[in-house]
């Protein structure tokens, strides 16, 4: 049987900001092959698959030969590592707190309306949709407004569409990021199913978690493609040499009170939908909490009550940093105690800020830098830029950096003021294994100074070792409240 190339790439070159990312790259993907594409953060993986999908242009030849006789759509579909939707007027410039404002929800489609339009546009069979929704835990979200979805739920929606469409070439960039354990398992099963129907896959993901249909392995090194015989042959990055933490972060944060967070019988709902039910939670100074739960379990809403972004906080019995919510303190007075990173904050961050400005904005809890900072603060920013090895990007715009580098910049922003409470919501999304280990080592070092931590993460193998407590949510309710927690095995 004659080998049939589906994708043929010859002498492909790509430059960003005068930096050569891909250099005379060659790659042939034959029919029946499903590829894992690996490489360290910033190596050009996402750029390469965007070139294949026709979303950006470079120099060189890319030829895609679809099967015109096949029942599946002759398309190459790229599903990004995250997704930004538009409202009913075609705008996408939402602000961070808008997700929790019920008066703004009417500006976006519901999930069902979005899927209805997508199915009609692509002439898809609606009898196939429910199985996909069920597998990814999305059946109960049909009437939810898009703006009210969590980052993990947004990722799932794009995956629902992709699996439903079943294009001849499906390109998935970090598809498991932000998904809970069961959803990751079910996604692999769905990918195996559509592969058997003729969908070919290119995946950018951690090699430790793959669907069984992946049968080819490639890695980008120094702008060129290297073919590996097996997943075990993929290069393992050496451990980074850990630098000494900047001196200003070795000092204990200023503590306002012994009990930083106190919630008593807290309830949050949107109309008939109950998001949080009867939450009782206390966080004391110096404790390190792991917050877990499946996608949509209420984690992001719970954190929004802590960081001052949720308007329904005033209707509940919540004390933050020694003050009852609604007793006169401003949102900015609350945020002064907190360093926060979350996928949503990254979505809505000022894309016109440079790396230096983005990190420095953490002093003021702003999206971008709008104030002049003094010599001492400038020196602290420079120390963190050096610590995270971002020196060559210091004056670059945040938006032009590889996603992994963008995350490091925003992670540096969260700790710049040595906050009393550090809230890290999926902080390692977009980071490779080496960067993840490096960052979690930093968290372990930081927390030796008495800092209080709330850490959201699905992967038990990608957590800091310092965690001492655990809160597990399910459908908006606390099902586990563990006072002596130790990282052992992967849970929800």
């Amino acid at each position: 049987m004659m080998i049939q190339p589906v994708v043929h790439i010859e002498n492909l070159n790509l430059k960003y900001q005068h930096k050569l990312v891909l250099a005379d790259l060659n790659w042939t993907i034959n029919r029946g092959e499903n590829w894992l594409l690996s490489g360290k953060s910033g190596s050009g993986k996402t750029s390469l698959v965007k070139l294949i999908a026709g979303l950006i242009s470079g120099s060189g030849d890319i030829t895609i030969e679809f099967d015109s006789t096949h029942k599946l759509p002759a398309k190459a579909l790229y599903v990004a590592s995250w997704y930004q939707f538009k409202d009913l007027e075609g705008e996408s410039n939402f602000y961070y707190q808008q997700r929790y404002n019920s008066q703004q929800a009417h500006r976006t489609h519901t999930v069902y309306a979005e899927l209805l339009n997508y199915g009609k546009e692509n002439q898809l069979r609606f009898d196939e949709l429910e199985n996909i929704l069920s597998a990814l835990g999305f059946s109960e979200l049909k009437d939810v407004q898009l703006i009210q979805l969590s980052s993990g739920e947004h990722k799932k929606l794009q995956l629902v569409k992709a699996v439903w469409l079943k294009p001849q070439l499906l390109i998935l960039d970090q598809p498991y990021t932000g998904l809970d354990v069961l959803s990751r398992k079910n996604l692999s099963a769905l990918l195996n199913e559509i592969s058997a129907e003729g969908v070919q896959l290119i995946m950018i993901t951690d090699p430790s978690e793959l669907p069984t249909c992946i049968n080819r392995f490639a890695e980008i090194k120094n702008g060129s493609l290297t073919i590996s015989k097996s997943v075990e042959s993929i290069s393992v990055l050496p451990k980074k040499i850990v630098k000494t933490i900047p001196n200003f972060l070795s000092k204990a944060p200023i503590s306002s009170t012994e009990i930083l967070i106190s919630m008593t019988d807290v309830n949050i709902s949107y109309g008939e939908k109950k998001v949080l039910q009867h939450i009782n939670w206390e966080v004391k100074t110096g404790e390190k909490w792991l917050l877990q739960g499946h996608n949509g379990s209420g984690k992001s809403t719970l954190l929004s009550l802590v960081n001052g972004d949720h308007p329904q906080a005033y209707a509940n019995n919540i004390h933050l940093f020694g003050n009852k919510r609604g007793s006169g303190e401003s949102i900015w007075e609350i945020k002064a105690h907190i360093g926060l990173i979350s996928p949503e904050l990254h979505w809505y961050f000022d894309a016109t800020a440079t790396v230096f400005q983005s990190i420095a904005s953490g002093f003021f809890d702003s999206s971008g830098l709008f104030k002049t900072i003094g010599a001492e603060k400038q020196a602290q920013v420079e120390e963190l830029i050096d610590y995270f090895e971002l020196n060559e990007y210091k004056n670059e715009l945040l938006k032009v950096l590889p996603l992994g580098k963008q995350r490091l910049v925003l992670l540096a922003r969260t700790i710049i003021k040595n906050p009393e409470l550090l809230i890290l919501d999926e902080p390692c999304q977009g980071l490779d294994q080496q960067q993840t280990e490096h960052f979690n080592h930093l968290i372990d070092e930081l927390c030796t100074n008495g800092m209080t931590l709330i850490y959201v993460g699905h992967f038990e193998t990608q957590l800091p070792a310092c965690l001492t407590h655990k809160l597990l949510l399910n459908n908006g309710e606390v099902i586990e409240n563990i006072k002596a927690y130790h990282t052992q095995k992967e849970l929800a």
Side-chain angles (χ1 to χ4, degrees), residues 330-387:
S330 71
I331 289 177
W332 301 109
E333 286 173 319
I334 293 172
K335 291 182 182 296
H337 297 272
I338 299 170
L340 168 72
I341 182 68
S342 70
E344 288 86 358
L345 185 143
H346 195 166
W347 279 359
Y348 302 123
F349 200 79
D350 182 4
T352 66
T354 65
V355 167
F356 185 96
Q357 292 168 338
S358 299
I359 296 174
S361 71
F363 286 119
F364 311 106
D365 305 299
S366 57
S367 178
L369 184 63
F370 308 104
K371 299 180 181 180
T372 302
I373 60 174
E376 182 180 355
K377 284 184 169 61
Q378 286 189 40
Q380 291 177 354
V381 175
E382 295 283 359
E383 284 187 77
L384 278 183
I385 287 174
D386 182 65
Y387 182 85

Side-chain angles (χ1 to χ4, degrees), residues 306-327:
V306 175
N307 63 41
D309 288 322
H310 205 297
Q312 291 189 43
Y314 300 106
N316 282 278
N317 188 358
I318 300 174
H319 287 77
L320 301 177
F321 309 102
N323 297 307
K324 188 178 189 304
R325 286 295 277 126
S327 61

